[in-house]
């Protein structure tokens, strides 16, 4: 009931509700994607199919274009002054770079979690999660309350904060703040969540909670995560893409990439022989 | 720059090569004992025990390397395969001991026809050597050659089994020395098992190099 109401609310504010297209094997298909910062080319002809309801890890050395790639997937890249992108990113059957597509709508369908937890500093835990709904015109307090609880449960944070929802988001530990940010993203019912080094600022216990969360979230969502931590990629992802100098070098199941990479460059990188 | 993992991989490789030499020596010595009637049970028992200890060492080291360094790709395949290869070499040692144990149990078999065992042992010794060489040179094609030799060994084994039954049916039982047939059959069986393990070592080398199972498996 709650989901239907939210989907209906989101439909009213311009986000397409799930359709039969979602049954398709791939959630996102990237075709010949190129990106630049001014004159400097950061991505070179990337083509990649992201499997639905799976966790895909993007690995590679610093500066290889991992973050640029995921920022292109919800049109955040173009918000950087001087940054441009060319090519196609097909979300279900819609090219998100089509002129008719509203980038704001895309950002609602494709949520993002950043390297450093960034809860809204002046807001309570509750308001951090509810903020997106309120900004999008949803006023039904009961509905908002349901979504806040559902999102915090989805982010495995509810049990820890249910009695202190009015406390500032910043009062939480780093790991809890990151899960709060995930809850904030979940409240918008995204279909895809992009995670840019989501555990790099967290201790091992908090990191393992985020990893468990990635595993449970992919039942309902498609997860794309950028990580420097190859063991984490091996643990949490179903598919792994290796990038180097703006190019996609190799893409395959995580088992294949980590057990039997087909490219020498991949083998050398994951074995710690360079990078 | 040497990776910390490389130090462990070098160590495991050295143990495996020590096992290769010792297991090859054990089988060769056991066959020579059969041929010449020498008593080598004690020394082969010691070698077999050494091989078992080294196999445990390889297993312990492999687990430590996986736990501490999370190896991937070729490193991971190599470490996994080393555990299987170490088991193979350990079995060579055990079958060598089984061969000399048969000799001691049977007593004198100096007058027996030894041609079947000696014929098969030539192929099996070549197989052991080939498997060790394949490991040293990372020869992914050795598995195919080993399987061809294994077919020869299997055929010899079946042929001797048939021959062993035939004279028992046709000849006077009083002139039949069971020690000759029993010792030959048991040793042929051990050699046939050594041949299988040599093939598995070839399979492991194929897996290390290509990441895929040997086509014959």
């Amino acid at each position: 009931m709650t989901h239907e109401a939210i989907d209906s609310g989101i439909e009213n504010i311009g986000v397409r509700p799930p359709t039969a297209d979602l049954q398709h094997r791939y959630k996102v298909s990237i075709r010949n994607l190129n990106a630049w910062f001014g004159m400097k080319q950061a991505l070179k002809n990337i083509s990649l199919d992201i499997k639905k309801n799976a966790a895909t890890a993007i690995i590679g050395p610093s500066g290889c274009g991992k973050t640029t790639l995921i920022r292109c997937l919800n049109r955040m890249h173009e918000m950087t002054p001087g940054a441009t992108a060319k090519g196609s990113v097909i979300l279900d059957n819609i090219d998100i770079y089509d002129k008719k597509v509203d980038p704001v709508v895309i950002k609602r369908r494709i949520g993002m979690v950043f390297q450093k937890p960034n809860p809204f500093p002046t807001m309570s835990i509750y308001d951090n999660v509810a903020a997106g709904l309120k900004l999008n015109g949803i006023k039904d307090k009961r509905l908002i309350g349901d979504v806040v609880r559902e999102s915090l449960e989805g982010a495995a944070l509810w049990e820890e904060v249910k009695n202190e929802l009015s406390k500032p988001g910043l009062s939480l530990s780093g790991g809890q703040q990151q899960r709060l940010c995930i809850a904030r993203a979940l409240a918008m019912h995204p279909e895809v969540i992009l995670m840019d080094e989501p555990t790099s600022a967290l201790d091992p216990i908090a990191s393992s909670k985020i990893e468990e969360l990635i595993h449970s979230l992919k039942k309902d969502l498609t997860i794309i995560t950028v990580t420097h931590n190859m063991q984490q990629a091996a643990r949490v992802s179903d598919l792994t893409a290796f990038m180097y100098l703006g190019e996609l070098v190799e893409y395959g199941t995580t088992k294949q990439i980590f057990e039997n990479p087909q490219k020498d460059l991949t083998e050398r990188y994951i074995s710690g022989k360079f990078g | 720059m040497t990776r910390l993992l490389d130090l462990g991989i070098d160590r495991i490789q050295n143990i495996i090569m020590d096992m290769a030499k010792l297991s090859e020596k054990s089988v060769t010595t056991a066959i020579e004992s059969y041929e010449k009637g020498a008593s080598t049970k004690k020394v082969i028992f010691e070698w077999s025990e050494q091989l078992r200890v080294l196999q445990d060492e390889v297993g312990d080291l492999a687990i430590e390397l996986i736990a501490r360094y999370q190896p991937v790709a070729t490193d991971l395949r190599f470490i996994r395969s080393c555990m299987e290869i170490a088991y193979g070499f350990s079995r060579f040692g055990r079958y060598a001991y089984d061969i000399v144990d048969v000799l001691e149990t049977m007593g004198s078999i100096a007058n027996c026809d030894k041609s079947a065992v000696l014929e098969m042992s030539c192929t099996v010794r070549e197989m052991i050597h080939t498997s060790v060489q394949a490991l040293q040179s990372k020869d992914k094609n050795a598995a195919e050659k080993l399987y061809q030799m294994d077919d020869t060994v299997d055929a010899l084994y079946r042929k001797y089994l048939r021959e062993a039954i035939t004279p028992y049916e046709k000849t006077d039982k009083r002139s039949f020395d069971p020690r000759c047939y029993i010792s030959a059959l048991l040793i042929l069986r051990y050699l046939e098992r050594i041949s299988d393990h040599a093939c598995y070592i070839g399979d492991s080398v194929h897996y290390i190099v290509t990441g895929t199972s040997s086509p014959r498996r």
Side-chain angles (χ1 to χ4, degrees):
Chain A
M1 181 62 188
T2 306
H3 275 280
E4 285 164 12
I6 297 290
D7 288 339
S8 158
I10 287 172
E11 190 174 23
N12 292 337
I13 56 173
V15 178
R16 208 165 56 88
T19 68
D21 292 336
L22 298 188
Q23 302 306 317
H24 196 270
R25 192 176 169 200
Y26 297 114
K27 185 68 185 169
V28 181
S29 291
I30 303 162
R31 290 289 175 270
N32 304 316
L33 184 66
N34 292 274
W36 293 264
F37 290 100
M39 297 295 286
K40 190 177 184 299
Q41 188 164 7
L43 294 181
K44 297 171 189 169
N45 259 337
I46 305 286
S47 292
L48 185 65
D49 290 314
I50 304 291
K51 201 175 166 195
K52 186 183 169 190
N53 292 119
T56 300
I58 300 169
I59 60 169
S62 298
C64 72
K66 306 182 294 287
T67 297
T68 305
L69 175 61
I70 64 164
R71 286 172 68 88
C72 284
L73 301 186
N74 71 345
R75 298 194 58 172
M76 280 191 76
H77 173 68
E78 65 205 61
M79 292 167 71
T80 306
T84 51
K86 196 177 168 189
S88 302
V89 175
I90 315 290
L91 175 64
D92 298 328
N93 291 325
I94 297 167
D95 185 350
I96 68 165
Y97 281 95
D98 190 293
K99 284 177 185 166
K100 293 176 197 160
V101 171
D102 180 356
V104 176
V105 173
I106 294 305
K107 288 186 185 73
R108 288 184 201 133
R109 289 182 65 183
I110 305 181
M112 189 148 187
V113 175
F114 298 89
Q115 189 170 355
K116 273 184 76 177
N118 57 350
F120 300 129
T122 58
M123 289 188 191
S124 67
I125 294 167
Y126 183 95
D127 286 340
N128 258 282
V129 183
L133 297 170
K134 288 177 180 171
L135 276 171
N136 282 293
I138 295 176
K139 291 174 182 164
D140 182 337
K141 284 185 180 174
R142 189 169 171 183
L143 175 61
I144 292 172
D146 287 345
V147 174
V148 168
R149 176 175 178 155
E150 187 183 79
S151 304
L152 286 167
E153 282 175 344
L157 190 58
W158 174 253
E159 287 301 323
E160 293 163 56
V161 301
K162 63 184 178 188
N163 297 322
E164 46 192 38
L165 292 172
S166 58
K167 282 191 176 175
L170 285 179
S171 67
L172 298 173
S173 70
Q176 287 174 322
Q177 285 183 30
Q178 192 64 307
R179 280 181 282 145
L180 179 62
C181 294
I182 292 172
R184 189 172 68 191
L186 291 178
M188 296 307 295
H189 272 203
E191 297 154 42
V192 179
I193 291 195
L194 310 172
M195 295 185 172
D196 188 2
E197 296 272 4
T199 63
S200 63
L202 306 180
D203 66 46
I205 303 293
S207 295
S208 73
K209 284 190 177 171
I210 300 289
E211 289 179 12
E212 286 163 19
L213 193 52
I214 290 172
H215 183 73
S216 65
L217 287 175
K218 72 184 182 190
K219 287 200 297 284
D220 304 311
L221 298 166
T222 300
I223 312 272
I224 304 170
T225 181
V226 161
T227 179
H228 270 118
N229 181 335
M230 279 176 287
Q231 272 64 50
Q232 181 176 73
R235 282 193 297 269
V236 304
S237 69
D238 304 292
L239 294 131
T240 298
F242 168 56
M243 292 181 67
Y244 186 63
L245 298 177
E247 293 182 56
L248 177 67
V249 177
E250 189 167 351
Y251 179 47
T253 63
T254 298
K255 177 177 163 54
Q256 179 254 309
I257 293 287
F258 283 92
E259 191 178 321
N260 188 19
Q262 299 301 298
K263 301 280 174 69
D264 183 53
L265 197 59
T266 314
E267 163 108 23
R268 284 167 51 214
Y269 178 70
I270 62 171
S271 309
K273 290 170 186 161
F274 86 95
Chain B
M1 194 175 75
T2 305
R3 297 172 306 158
L4 293 173
L5 173 63
D6 288 334
L7 302 173
I9 284 180
D10 286 348
R11 217 174 116 207
I12 217 168
Q13 188 154 336
N14 289 338
I15 299 172
I16 288 285
M17 292 323 295
D18 287 347
M19 290 185 78
K21 284 180 204 154
L22 191 56
S23 63
E24 197 171 359
K25 187 165 77 171
S26 301
V27 176
T28 302
T29 306
I31 297 299
E32 284 172 359
S33 300
Y34 173 74
E35 189 179 5
K36 297 170 185 165
S39 175
T40 53
K41 188 176 174 184
K42 193 176 169 213
V43 69
I44 291 185
F45 175 76
E46 282 168 9
W47 291 343
S48 171
E49 278 300 286
Q50 273 181 42
L51 284 165
R52 198 186 53 73
V53 170
L54 289 172
Q55 185 205 341
D56 287 347
E57 214 172 296
V58 168
D60 289 346
L61 189 52
I63 295 296
E64 184 188 341
L65 294 180
I66 290 167
R68 291 182 65 187
Y69 305 111
Q70 294 94 40
V72 294
T74 307
D75 297 330
L76 178 63
R77 299 201 301 270
F78 178 78
I79 291 167
R80 175 192 153 176
S81 298
C82 277
M83 290 195 272
E84 292 170 359
I85 291 167
Y87 175 69
F89 287 142
S90 175
R91 292 312 300 164
F92 287 176
R94 178 65 207 193
Y95 290 126
Y97 174 74
D98 288 340
I99 289 170
V100 291
D101 188 47
V102 166
L103 302 181
E104 192 147 306
T105 307
M106 294 294 159
S108 173
I109 51 167
N111 296 323
C112 296
D113 177 6
K114 297 175 179 172
S115 58
V117 168
L118 295 178
E119 185 186 356
M120 191 193 277
S121 72
C122 283
T123 309
V124 170
R125 283 163 68 178
E126 193 188 338
M127 289 179 77
I128 294 173
H129 192 67
T130 303
S131 65
V132 172
Q133 292 247 298
L135 186 60
Q136 276 175 322
S137 60
K138 303 280 191 294
D139 177 7
K140 66 175 177 163
N141 298 317
E144 192 54 38
K145 193 178 166 195
L146 284 163
Y147 273 109
Q148 282 167 10
M149 289 193 274
D150 186 50
D151 289 342
T152 307
V153 168
D154 288 345
L156 281 171
Y157 180 63
R158 282 192 295 271
K159 181 173 164 246
Y160 188 78
L161 267 180
R162 280 193 297 273
E163 283 175 8
I165 297 164
T166 308
Y168 183 77
E169 287 171 344
K170 289 181 183 170
T171 61
D172 181 355
K173 284 179 187 175
R174 283 171 296 182
S175 66
F176 170 72
D177 184 351
R179 290 179 304 174
C180 294
Y181 286 102
I182 294 169
S183 61
L185 272 174
L186 284 169
I187 294 171
L188 286 171
R189 180 65 182 157
Y190 300 143
L191 290 174
E192 192 271 329
R193 294 299 299 136
I194 291 172
S195 162
D196 287 343
H197 282 284
C199 289
Y200 302 153
I201 291 171
D203 288 338
S204 293
V205 174
H206 186 279
Y207 173 70
I208 292 169
V209 178
T210 67
T212 56
S213 296
S214 166
R216 283 287 291 261
R217 283 197 101 168

